[in-house]
Amino acid sequence: MLTELCITSTLVAGKAADNSSLKDASIQIHQIQPAHAVQSTFKKSSTRPNCLAVSATHVFAAQADKAVVHVYTREKGSQEATVPFPEKIYSVVFTGDEGGVGVLVLGTEEGRLILWEVSTGRQISTPQSHLQAVTALAISRDSSYLLSGSLDSNLLVWSLPALLSFSSSPSDDTPGTSPLHTLSNHRAAISAIRTGHSSSGADIAVSASDDSSCIVWNYRTGELLRTYLLQSVPTSLAVDPCDRAVYAGLRDGGVQLIDFFDPSTPANPLHDQTFTLIQPPSSSAWTAGASQSLGATLCVALVYEGNYLLSGHASGKLVLWDIGSRKFSRQLTSVDDGITNLLMLAPTGFPGATQPTLKLHQVTKPRYDASLSSSSDGAGIVPAAYSLHAQFSSALPTTTSHSLFTQALTHPSLPAALLTFSPLHPCSSTTSSPYPATTKPAEASPLLKNLINTRLETARLRSRAKELAAQEARLRRREARFKAKQRTQRGSESDVNEDSSAVSRDGKSDSDSESKSGGGKVDGEVMET
């Protein structure tokens, strides 16, 4: 069953809160779906707006008027650590993976940004870029951009990978470690910043200011897309899951709907520069009525499906708004102090959901080390002292299972399982099956049949090639024997010819000698006569 949670935090009224009032201040985790219930509570915490961040394993709460951050573990439901910092913290935001390994970004009172890698303890501090305290932070969906807003009415756009890179230190004035864009169209303090849900170059960011305006930006280029003038001061923002609208919590206790799209035209009006200044109609502002006594709306958040809006108020009430009917629905709970932060957690219970490989069980307290801020040679090499502390959430897989299709692609021959159940194999009826006799294998898909035919044709061609090669070798051996036999026969004939020539030469010499001896005898007889 799908379960959806949200987390809220409160701020103790008064400038200096004593220990007795801090005992009542708390951080609560609420179950919204399927039914509302308070799951867990963390005591002794008082946070300003935008001073609460949550990961998959921990909760980070920057304490009001203090230079400390309380770290709570969600698994044990208790406080894990109290982390001090050199300056008071006015805003925090977390980005990381599903196991809780990530980076906590903190905005300080002096206008600096502090980046804390919670799994390594590495701490990076930027130079003073804002003139006053950093009151709002936001990170893009792909964790590539960081946006910071301040009491000085300016917004700065940063490259988060460049700030975390080992190639250079953010304290230097090297390119990439300074702000990419400076957005200075507001005329009062920045109260909230939210980014869209797209990872493309057309992603948007919305900022709210005490000058009663909300501005839509293309933060990647620094372009102002649209300015909205509201009837009351906006204190918080929530962007629609489809980036079609934004909901602003108002200081008068209501909620303002800002619709980006015009139903009369299919074009995206955000990129139409004909009208850049718009005042939403009064009908788009929702109120709960004077009988509810909600107080100022300090925080808003949308549920996963986008059909309900949650809002926390200065009176300590947590209420639900119906987006479809555009009106107040009901009150969920009420606490003694004002609810300053409201964050929705990722829903759980999806079928087939996988567990993260790494899980952060305990944070590593931040420490500033020059060797960890940047590499000594400036080449971006990870220092030797840099180490990550996390645990494997499950046993590592020792073997990797592959489908029959994958095995057929990499196997030197066709796998036996495919041959057994293939309707094209001639021995499929006689081959023993690894499955029970009562289980009939599913019919092979056309792609699998084509693969089987291809593999069988390849095997047949390889067999035929081997036969032709053997036949060629036999012919070559036969030709070699024939040539050897011919050479032997030629040698025998030459020997016979030489013998006959020798015999003829010998007979001729004998006849010559006899004729010579016979002639002498006749001559002698003639002489005697």
Side-chain angles (χ1 to χ4, degrees):
M1 182 171 53
L2 188 65
T3 303
E4 191 170 6
L5 306 176
C6 75
I7 182 170
T8 62
S9 66
T10 59
L11 174 66
V12 177
K15 185 175 180 180
D18 54 6
N19 293 331
S20 60
S21 60
L22 281 176
K23 290 181 180 179
D24 298 330
S26 63
I27 299 173
Q28 292 182 338
I29 297 181
H30 302 260
Q31 176 182 288
I32 304 300
Q33 296 290 345
H36 176 261
V38 178
Q39 282 198 344
S40 57
T41 301
F42 305 103
K43 293 290 186 179
K44 296 183 179 180
S45 178
S46 178
T47 57
R48 294 179 179 273
N50 302 323
C51 286
L52 182 70
V54 61
S55 69
T57 57
H58 291 82
V59 177
F60 306 91
Q63 300 303 299
D65 300 323
K66 295 181 181 180
V68 296
V69 173
H70 289 180
V71 181
Y72 302 90
T73 171
R74 294 177 56 184
E75 183 178 3
K76 298 179 181 179
S78 60
Q79 184 174 348
E80 180 179 302
T82 299
V83 182
F85 287 94
E87 303 176 31
K88 293 181 180 180
I89 307 301
Y90 275 71
S91 57
V92 294
V93 66
F94 180 84
T95 177
D97 59 10
E98 297 178 353
V101 179
V103 178
L104 182 69
V105 184
L106 307 97
T108 67
E109 184 181 21
E110 300 297 329
R112 295 183 177 87
L113 297 180
I114 298 177
L115 289 82
W116 169 28
E117 295 182 359
V118 297
S119 58
T120 65
R122 181 187 179 206
Q123 177 181 325
I124 302 170
S125 179
T126 65
Q128 184 179 2
S129 301
H130 288 282
L131 301 178
Q132 293 178 278
V134 180
T135 54
L137 293 169
I139 295 180
S140 62
R141 184 178 180 86
D142 57 357
S143 300
S144 297
Y145 293 89
L146 170 65
L147 287 79
S148 60
S150 171
L151 293 176
D152 60 6
S153 74
N154 291 329
L155 279 84
L156 300 181
V157 182
W158 307 76
S159 173
L160 187 58
L163 294 176
L164 297 174
S165 175
F166 286 101
S167 59
S168 59
S169 175
S171 60
D172 303 333
D173 293 331
T174 56
T177 58
S178 57
L180 302 177
H181 306 289
T182 300
L183 312 178
S184 56
N185 291 77
H186 285 292
R187 295 295 178 264
I190 306 298
S191 57
I193 307 174
R194 291 294 183 268
T195 58
H197 301 82
S198 174
S199 299
S200 65
D203 194 22
I204 61 173
V206 185
S207 60
S209 173
D210 289 347
D211 59 1
S212 301
S213 68
C214 286
I215 299 181
V216 185
W217 310 87
N218 184 341
Y219 60 87
R220 296 175 184 262
T221 61
E223 178 186 4
L224 186 150
L225 300 178
R226 192 61 57 91
T227 301
Y228 295 92
L229 296 180
L230 308 183
Q231 300 176 359
S232 180
V233 177
T235 57
S236 54
L237 297 171
V239 180
D240 180 78
C242 298
D243 295 346
R244 294 182 55 89
V246 64
Y247 301 89
L250 303 179
R251 189 171 293 177
D252 61 4
V255 174
Q256 177 74 57
L257 168 63
I258 303 175
D259 197 344
F260 296 151
F261 289 84
D262 185 2
S264 61
T265 174
N268 188 347
L270 288 179
H271 300 278
D272 183 9
Q273 298 301 319
T274 305
F275 302 99
T276 58
L277 183 62
I278 297 178
Q279 185 173 4
S282 58
S283 60
S284 61
W286 309 341
T287 58
S291 60
Q292 297 295 333
S293 301
L294 298 179
T297 305
L298 302 180
C299 51
V300 291
L302 282 166
V303 299
Y304 178 74
E305 296 178 350
N307 54 350
Y308 286 99
L309 178 74
L310 294 171
S311 62
H313 297 264
S315 60
K317 296 180 180 181
L318 179 65
V319 301
L320 191 69
W321 303 80
D322 190 347
I323 301 297
S325 60
R326 300 189 177 189
K327 63 181 182 180
F328 173 82
S329 177
R330 66 182 185 275
Q331 175 182 324
L332 297 181
T333 186
S334 179
V335 294
D336 296 334
D337 301 300
I339 300 177
T340 54
N341 292 278
L342 173 60
L343 301 176
M344 297 301 300
L345 306 182
T348 59
F350 290 103
T354 59
Q355 296 295 328
T357 304
L358 289 178
K359 187 175 182 181
L360 184 67
H361 286 272
Q362 186 175 1
V363 299
T364 302
K365 289 188 176 182
R367 66 186 187 281
Y368 179 78
D369 191 346
S371 62
L372 295 179
S373 296
S374 60
S375 57
S376 58
D377 55 358
I381 302 175
V382 179
Y386 185 77
S387 60
L388 184 142
H389 303 274
Q391 296 181 3
F392 290 104
S393 58
S394 60
L396 294 178
T398 56
T399 58
T400 304
S401 59
H402 297 285
S403 62
L404 293 178
F405 181 78
T406 305
Q407 295 179 18
L409 292 177
T410 58
H411 203 272
S413 62
L414 204 63
L418 291 180
L419 289 174
T420 301
F421 300 119
S422 173
L424 305 177
H425 193 266
C427 302
S428 59
S429 59
T430 58
T431 308
S432 60
S433 171
Y435 296 95
T438 57
T439 303
K440 293 183 179 180
E443 184 179 356
S445 62
L447 181 61
L448 186 58
K449 290 180 179 180
N450 293 335
L451 177 62
I452 293 173
N453 293 334
T454 303
R455 297 302 295 269
L456 291 176
E457 183 66 18
T458 303
R460 187 185 66 80
L461 292 177
R462 287 179 180 175
S463 177
R464 181 58 179 167
K466 290 181 180 179
E467 293 179 0
L468 293 176
Q471 185 177 358
E472 184 180 2
R474 289 195 299 270
L475 291 176
R476 288 181 179 178
R477 289 195 298 270
R478 185 179 300 175
E479 182 180 3
R481 288 196 299 269
F482 179 74
K483 289 181 179 181
K485 186 176 181 181
Q486 284 183 343
R487 288 194 297 270
T488 303
Q489 290 178 357
R490 291 193 191 99
S492 301
E493 292 178 358
S494 61
D495 293 342
V496 172
N497 293 334
E498 290 177 359
D499 293 341
S500 61
S501 300
V503 171
S504 62
R505 286 194 300 271
D506 293 342
K508 184 176 181 181
S509 60
D510 293 340
S511 61
D512 292 340
S513 60
E514 288 179 358
S515 61
K516 288 181 182 180
S517 60
K521 193 175 193 178
V522 172
D523 294 339
E525 290 180 355
V526 172
M527 291 180 65
E528 288 180 0
T529 305

Short mmCIF file of all heavy atoms in Angstrom, two decimals, residues 13-34:
data_model
loop_
_atom_site.label_atom_id
_atom_site.label_comp_id
_atom_site.label_asym_id
_atom_site.label_seq_id
_atom_site.Cartn_x
_atom_site.Cartn_y
_atom_site.Cartn_z
N ALA A 13 8.05 30.90 20.12
CA ALA A 13 7.80 32.33 20.12
C ALA A 13 8.70 33.02 21.13
O ALA A 13 9.05 32.48 22.18
CB ALA A 13 6.34 32.61 20.45
N GLY A 14 9.10 34.23 20.82
CA GLY A 14 9.97 34.98 21.72
C GLY A 14 11.40 34.97 21.23
O GLY A 14 11.84 34.07 20.52
N LYS A 15 12.15 35.95 21.63
CA LYS A 15 13.53 36.07 21.17
C LYS A 15 14.42 35.05 21.83
O LYS A 15 15.28 34.45 21.20
CB LYS A 15 14.04 37.48 21.47
CG LYS A 15 15.43 37.75 20.93
CD LYS A 15 15.84 39.19 21.14
CE LYS A 15 17.23 39.44 20.59
NZ LYS A 15 17.66 40.85 20.79
N ALA A 16 14.26 34.83 23.11
CA ALA A 16 15.09 33.87 23.85
C ALA A 16 14.17 32.85 24.49
O ALA A 16 13.34 33.19 25.34
CB ALA A 16 15.93 34.58 24.91
N ALA A 17 14.30 31.63 24.07
CA ALA A 17 13.45 30.56 24.59
C ALA A 17 14.20 29.82 25.69
O ALA A 17 15.36 29.48 25.55
CB ALA A 17 13.07 29.60 23.47
N ASP A 18 13.51 29.57 26.81
CA ASP A 18 14.13 28.83 27.89
C ASP A 18 14.01 27.33 27.63
O ASP A 18 13.40 26.87 26.67
CB ASP A 18 13.49 29.22 29.23
CG ASP A 18 11.98 29.03 29.20
OD1 ASP A 18 11.46 28.51 28.18
OD2 ASP A 18 11.32 29.41 30.19
N ASN A 19 14.62 26.55 28.50
CA ASN A 19 14.64 25.10 28.32
C ASN A 19 13.26 24.48 28.42
O ASN A 19 12.95 23.49 27.76
CB ASN A 19 15.57 24.47 29.36
CG ASN A 19 17.03 24.85 29.13
OD1 ASN A 19 17.43 25.09 28.00
ND2 ASN A 19 17.80 24.90 30.20
N SER A 20 12.38 25.05 29.27
CA SER A 20 11.05 24.48 29.42
C SER A 20 10.24 24.61 28.13
O SER A 20 9.50 23.71 27.75
CB SER A 20 10.32 25.16 30.58
OG SER A 20 10.21 26.56 30.32
N SER A 21 10.37 25.76 27.44
CA SER A 21 9.63 25.93 26.19
C SER A 21 10.23 25.08 25.08
O SER A 21 9.52 24.63 24.18
CB SER A 21 9.62 27.40 25.78
OG SER A 21 10.95 27.88 25.61
N LEU A 22 11.55 24.85 25.11
CA LEU A 22 12.18 24.02 24.10
C LEU A 22 11.75 22.57 24.20
O LEU A 22 11.80 21.82 23.22
CB LEU A 22 13.71 24.12 24.20
CG LEU A 22 14.35 25.38 23.58
CD1 LEU A 22 15.83 25.38 23.83
CD2 LEU A 22 14.05 25.46 22.09
N LYS A 23 11.36 22.13 25.38
CA LYS A 23 10.90 20.75 25.53
C LYS A 23 9.63 20.50 24.71
O LYS A 23 9.40 19.41 24.22
CB LYS A 23 10.64 20.46 27.02
CG LYS A 23 11.91 20.38 27.85
CD LYS A 23 11.58 20.06 29.30
CE LYS A 23 12.85 20.00 30.13
NZ LYS A 23 12.55 19.70 31.56
N ASP A 24 8.80 21.53 24.57
CA ASP A 24 7.56 21.38 23.83
C ASP A 24 7.77 21.55 22.32
O ASP A 24 6.99 21.04 21.53
CB ASP A 24 6.52 22.38 24.32
CG ASP A 24 6.18 22.16 25.78
OD1 ASP A 24 6.26 20.99 26.22
OD2 ASP A 24 5.84 23.13 26.47
N ALA A 25 8.80 22.34 21.94
CA ALA A 25 9.09 22.51 20.53
C ALA A 25 9.56 21.18 19.96
O ALA A 25 10.30 20.43 20.59
CB ALA A 25 10.16 23.57 20.32
N SER A 26 9.13 20.89 18.73
CA SER A 26 9.43 19.56 18.20
C SER A 26 9.42 19.55 16.69
O SER A 26 8.97 20.50 16.03
CB SER A 26 8.41 18.54 18.73
OG SER A 26 7.11 18.87 18.26
N ILE A 27 9.92 18.44 16.17
CA ILE A 27 9.84 18.10 14.75
C ILE A 27 9.00 16.83 14.66
O ILE A 27 9.29 15.85 15.35
CB ILE A 27 11.24 17.87 14.15
CG1 ILE A 27 12.08 19.15 14.25
CG2 ILE A 27 11.14 17.41 12.71
CD1 ILE A 27 13.53 18.95 13.81
N GLN A 28 7.99 16.87 13.86
CA GLN A 28 7.07 15.73 13.75
C GLN A 28 7.03 15.20 12.33
O GLN A 28 7.09 15.96 11.37
CB GLN A 28 5.65 16.15 14.17
CG GLN A 28 5.51 16.49 15.64
CD GLN A 28 4.08 16.83 16.01
OE1 GLN A 28 3.27 17.22 15.18
NE2 GLN A 28 3.75 16.71 17.30
N ILE A 29 6.94 13.87 12.23
CA ILE A 29 6.75 13.19 10.96
C ILE A 29 5.32 12.70 10.91
O ILE A 29 4.90 11.90 11.76
CB ILE A 29 7.75 12.04 10.78
CG1 ILE A 29 9.18 12.58 10.75
CG2 ILE A 29 7.45 11.25 9.51
CD1 ILE A 29 10.23 11.51 10.56
N HIS A 30 4.55 13.19 9.93
CA HIS A 30 3.13 12.87 9.80
C HIS A 30 2.92 11.90 8.64
O HIS A 30 3.58 12.01 7.60
CB HIS A 30 2.30 14.13 9.53
CG HIS A 30 2.44 15.18 10.58
ND1 HIS A 30 1.50 15.36 11.58
CD2 HIS A 30 3.40 16.11 10.80
CE1 HIS A 30 1.86 16.36 12.35
NE2 HIS A 30 3.02 16.84 11.90
N GLN A 31 2.02 10.99 8.84
CA GLN A 31 1.56 10.14 7.74
C GLN A 31 0.34 10.80 7.12
O GLN A 31 -0.67 11.02 7.79
CB GLN A 31 1.22 8.73 8.24
CG GLN A 31 0.65 7.83 7.15
CD GLN A 31 0.29 6.46 7.69
OE1 GLN A 31 1.16 5.65 8.00
NE2 GLN A 31 -1.00 6.20 7.80
N ILE A 32 0.40 11.08 5.82
CA ILE A 32 -0.70 11.73 5.12
C ILE A 32 -1.60 10.72 4.43
O ILE A 32 -2.82 10.81 4.46
CB ILE A 32 -0.16 12.77 4.12
CG1 ILE A 32 0.75 13.78 4.85
CG2 ILE A 32 -1.29 13.49 3.41
CD1 ILE A 32 0.06 14.53 5.94
N GLN A 33 -1.00 9.75 3.78
CA GLN A 33 -1.74 8.69 3.11
C GLN A 33 -1.34 7.35 3.72
O GLN A 33 -0.16 7.13 4.00
CB GLN A 33 -1.41 8.69 1.60
CG GLN A 33 -1.84 9.92 0.86
CD GLN A 33 -3.34 10.04 0.72
OE1 GLN A 33 -4.07 9.08 0.93
NE2 GLN A 33 -3.81 11.23 0.36
N PRO A 34 -2.28 6.44 3.95
CA PRO A 34 -3.71 6.50 3.61
C PRO A 34 -4.56 7.27 4.62
O PRO A 34 -5.68 7.65 4.31
CB PRO A 34 -4.11 5.04 3.56
CG PRO A 34 -3.18 4.37 4.50
CD PRO A 34 -1.88 5.10 4.43
#
